[in-house]
Each structure stands twice: as C-alpha cells, then as structure tokens.
Amino acid sequence: DSQSKVYGSSDPVLTFTVGGFGLAGNAATGVFDTQAVVFSGSQARSAGEAVLGSPYAITRGSLTANSNYSVTGYTGSNLAILPASLSITADDKTKFSGEPNPVFTASYSGLKFADTPADLGGSLQFVTPATNSSLAGNYPIEPSGLNSSNYSISYFSGNLRIDPLNL
C-alpha cells in the first residue's frame, strides 16, 4: 500500500493487501486465515529521509507466505516524505530613541534530526519600519529569506520596542 510520512517522523507501518483468490476461510469450522497467520517477515523500503529523494520504493523485503499459499507476484508501492512544518519567529528587541537598530535574531521551532539553521538555504533577513530617528513605540520585525525542500516554513513577526531617551 502507498504510504506517506512527514520529514523527521518515524516510518509508518508498511501494509499490504492480498489479491487473487484472497485468504482461505471455512465458516463451518470457524477457521479463517489472516495476514498475521499466513505471512511472516516484513516489507522494506529504499533508504532515504529527504523530501527531494521522495518517493521511496516499498519492496517485498523478507515477506513470505506459509506453505499453504503460493505468492505468485508482488506489486510494490511508494513511501512519500512530506515537508515538516518549521516556524521562524523574530526575537523581540528593545532600543532607545536615536540609537541604531539592534542586531535582529530569530528562534526556530520544528527543526528535525540534527538539522540547524545553517542547513537551510537562502539568507535570513529582517525588515522593520523603525530607523535611528523613529519615535518611541512598537514596530514589527519581519523575518524572511530562508528555504528548504524538507520544510514548509512559516514566519512570525517579533516586536521592536523603542523607549524614549531620558534626558
């Protein structure tokens, strides 16, 4: 059966369906074969964990039937890896009127495996309407500029609070 998972999560249980005449059942004796009784071993999938390499082939692996059955064919399928959600939030900052804007930074939520911000493509940028001469008040800090095939990136604003300069 076709399967999917989100980047960074565990593989789903690989499942299959039986075609042809199916599994035997005898209502008179109450004996019905099930996949768990008839088959042993497990399916396998091609190695890889990246969205760009997806889909990965699901193969028969070591899956075999007991001696009461003959498997005459196996049709493989695929495991698709979908992008994980990644949130990038501009960190809140504070400055006094007349000062240059501080260095803006961001926090990341949702990185998988041992991924770090350095593994993302592009360049993190920040935009704010605040300048050296902006009046006291609150101004948004808007992050943008990163990309990755393994992540669906959402950006969230931070706040730049400009306090009046006490004389």
Side-chain angles (χ1 to χ4, degrees):
D1 299 326
S2 294
Q3 300 284 344
S4 66
K5 73 172 194 168
V6 173
Y7 173 76
S9 64
S10 299
D11 279 1
V13 174
L14 300 179
T15 58
F16 60 94
T17 55
V18 176
F21 292 110
L23 299 176
N26 186 329
T29 63
V31 175
F32 294 94
D33 283 342
T34 64
Q35 286 184 357
V37 169
V38 173
F39 293 95
S40 62
S42 60
Q43 298 175 94
R45 75 161 179 97
S46 298
E49 290 296 330
V51 172
L52 279 181
S54 178
Y56 297 93
I58 298 173
T59 64
R60 184 171 171 177
S62 64
L63 188 65
T64 59
N66 67 26
S67 61
N68 294 331
Y69 291 88
S70 174
V71 177
T72 58
Y74 177 87
T75 303
S77 196
N78 291 304
L79 171 74
I81 299 181
L82 308 171
S85 295
L86 175 63
S87 297
I88 301 175
T89 304
D91 297 326
D92 292 341
K93 299 290 182 175
T94 303
K95 74 171 193 162
F96 288 104
S97 289
E99 291 182 346
N101 286 340
V103 173
F104 296 128
T105 57
S107 300
Y108 298 78
S109 177
L111 288 168
K112 304 296 181 186
F113 299 118
D115 291 351
T116 68
D119 295 314
L120 304 172
S123 176
L124 184 60
Q125 302 166 0
F126 299 94
V127 174
T128 183
T131 65
N132 293 2
S133 59
S134 294
L135 299 175
N138 291 303
Y139 298 85
I141 305 168
E142 303 284 344
S144 66
L146 295 176
N147 58 69
S148 171
S149 61
N150 289 328
Y151 294 100
S152 174
I153 300 174
S154 297
Y155 294 97
F156 297 93
S157 301
N159 183 62
L160 174 60
R161 188 182 81 220
I162 300 178
D163 292 332
L165 186 60
N166 294 324
L167 298 176

